[in-house]
Short mmCIF file of all heavy atoms in Angstrom, two decimals:
data_model
loop_
_atom_site.label_atom_id
_atom_site.label_comp_id
_atom_site.label_asym_id
_atom_site.label_seq_id
_atom_site.Cartn_x
_atom_site.Cartn_y
_atom_site.Cartn_z
N ALA A 362 -61.69 -101.85 63.40
CA ALA A 362 -61.84 -103.24 62.91
C ALA A 362 -61.11 -103.42 61.62
O ALA A 362 -61.08 -102.54 60.75
CB ALA A 362 -63.33 -103.56 62.75
N GLN A 363 -60.50 -104.57 61.46
CA GLN A 363 -59.79 -104.86 60.23
C GLN A 363 -59.77 -106.37 59.98
O GLN A 363 -59.99 -107.17 60.90
CB GLN A 363 -58.32 -104.37 60.40
CG GLN A 363 -57.53 -105.10 61.48
CD GLN A 363 -56.12 -104.50 61.65
OE1 GLN A 363 -55.97 -103.29 61.86
NE2 GLN A 363 -55.14 -105.36 61.60
N PRO A 364 -59.55 -106.77 58.75
CA PRO A 364 -59.50 -108.21 58.47
C PRO A 364 -58.35 -108.82 59.21
O PRO A 364 -57.30 -108.18 59.44
CB PRO A 364 -59.27 -108.26 56.94
CG PRO A 364 -59.72 -106.93 56.45
CD PRO A 364 -59.40 -105.96 57.53
N PRO A 365 -58.44 -110.06 59.64
CA PRO A 365 -57.33 -110.73 60.33
C PRO A 365 -56.12 -110.84 59.42
O PRO A 365 -56.27 -111.00 58.19
CB PRO A 365 -57.88 -112.10 60.71
CG PRO A 365 -59.04 -112.31 59.80
CD PRO A 365 -59.61 -110.96 59.48
N THR A 366 -54.92 -110.71 60.00
CA THR A 366 -53.73 -110.77 59.19
C THR A 366 -53.55 -112.11 58.49
O THR A 366 -53.04 -112.21 57.41
CB THR A 366 -52.49 -110.46 60.08
OG1 THR A 366 -52.49 -111.37 61.18
CG2 THR A 366 -52.51 -109.04 60.53
N GLU A 367 -53.99 -113.15 59.18
CA GLU A 367 -53.96 -114.49 58.59
C GLU A 367 -55.35 -115.01 58.50
O GLU A 367 -56.04 -115.29 59.50
CB GLU A 367 -53.16 -115.45 59.48
CG GLU A 367 -51.66 -115.05 59.58
CD GLU A 367 -50.89 -116.06 60.46
OE1 GLU A 367 -51.46 -117.07 60.84
OE2 GLU A 367 -49.72 -115.80 60.68
N THR A 368 -55.86 -115.12 57.27
CA THR A 368 -57.23 -115.56 57.03
C THR A 368 -57.34 -117.05 57.44
O THR A 368 -56.70 -117.92 56.80
CB THR A 368 -57.66 -115.41 55.59
OG1 THR A 368 -57.49 -114.02 55.23
CG2 THR A 368 -59.14 -115.80 55.38
N ALA A 369 -58.16 -117.30 58.45
CA ALA A 369 -58.26 -118.65 59.01
C ALA A 369 -59.57 -119.33 58.56
O ALA A 369 -59.83 -120.45 58.98
CB ALA A 369 -58.16 -118.61 60.52
N GLY A 370 -60.37 -118.65 57.77
CA GLY A 370 -61.59 -119.27 57.34
C GLY A 370 -62.76 -118.96 58.25
O GLY A 370 -62.59 -118.45 59.38
N ALA A 371 -63.97 -119.31 57.81
CA ALA A 371 -65.19 -118.98 58.54
C ALA A 371 -65.29 -119.66 59.90
O ALA A 371 -65.93 -119.18 60.78
CB ALA A 371 -66.39 -119.34 57.66
N LEU A 372 -64.59 -120.83 60.03
CA LEU A 372 -64.69 -121.55 61.28
C LEU A 372 -64.04 -120.84 62.43
O LEU A 372 -64.36 -121.12 63.59
CB LEU A 372 -64.05 -122.94 61.12
CG LEU A 372 -64.82 -123.94 60.21
CD1 LEU A 372 -64.05 -125.26 60.15
CD2 LEU A 372 -66.22 -124.13 60.71
N HIS A 373 -63.15 -119.90 62.17
CA HIS A 373 -62.50 -119.13 63.21
C HIS A 373 -63.07 -117.70 63.36
O HIS A 373 -62.42 -116.83 63.87
CB HIS A 373 -60.99 -119.11 62.97
CG HIS A 373 -60.35 -120.42 63.15
ND1 HIS A 373 -59.98 -120.93 64.37
CD2 HIS A 373 -60.00 -121.40 62.23
CE1 HIS A 373 -59.45 -122.12 64.25
NE2 HIS A 373 -59.47 -122.43 62.96
N GLN A 374 -64.27 -117.56 62.83
CA GLN A 374 -65.00 -116.28 62.92
C GLN A 374 -65.96 -116.34 64.10
O GLN A 374 -66.57 -117.40 64.32
CB GLN A 374 -65.77 -115.99 61.62
CG GLN A 374 -66.48 -114.68 61.56
CD GLN A 374 -67.16 -114.50 60.22
OE1 GLN A 374 -67.31 -115.45 59.49
NE2 GLN A 374 -67.53 -113.24 59.91
N PRO A 375 -66.11 -115.26 64.90
CA PRO A 375 -67.15 -115.31 65.95
C PRO A 375 -68.49 -115.71 65.41
O PRO A 375 -68.85 -115.28 64.28
CB PRO A 375 -67.12 -113.86 66.48
CG PRO A 375 -65.76 -113.35 66.18
CD PRO A 375 -65.35 -114.02 64.90
N ILE A 376 -69.24 -116.50 66.16
CA ILE A 376 -70.48 -117.05 65.66
C ILE A 376 -71.49 -116.00 65.33
O ILE A 376 -72.33 -116.16 64.42
CB ILE A 376 -71.01 -118.13 66.63
CG1 ILE A 376 -72.03 -119.01 65.92
CG2 ILE A 376 -71.65 -117.47 67.87
CD1 ILE A 376 -72.37 -120.25 66.67
N VAL A 377 -71.45 -114.85 66.07
CA VAL A 377 -72.32 -113.72 65.74
C VAL A 377 -72.06 -113.20 64.34
O VAL A 377 -72.97 -112.97 63.53
CB VAL A 377 -72.17 -112.62 66.78
CG1 VAL A 377 -72.91 -111.37 66.32
CG2 VAL A 377 -72.69 -113.07 68.13
N GLN A 378 -70.79 -113.03 64.01
CA GLN A 378 -70.44 -112.51 62.68
C GLN A 378 -70.85 -113.52 61.59
O GLN A 378 -71.39 -113.18 60.55
CB GLN A 378 -68.93 -112.25 62.58
CG GLN A 378 -68.44 -111.13 63.44
CD GLN A 378 -66.93 -110.85 63.28
OE1 GLN A 378 -66.29 -111.40 62.39
NE2 GLN A 378 -66.39 -110.03 64.16
N ALA A 379 -70.61 -114.81 61.89
CA ALA A 379 -70.93 -115.84 60.89
C ALA A 379 -72.44 -115.93 60.68
O ALA A 379 -72.91 -116.07 59.55
CB ALA A 379 -70.42 -117.23 61.37
N ALA A 380 -73.24 -115.85 61.78
CA ALA A 380 -74.68 -115.93 61.69
C ALA A 380 -75.29 -114.76 60.89
O ALA A 380 -76.26 -114.92 60.18
CB ALA A 380 -75.31 -116.03 63.06
#
Side-chain angles (χ1 to χ4, degrees):
Q363 63 185 55
T366 53
E367 297 181 6
T368 304
L372 291 180
H373 291 278
Q374 184 178 16
I376 199 165
V377 169
Q378 293 182 11

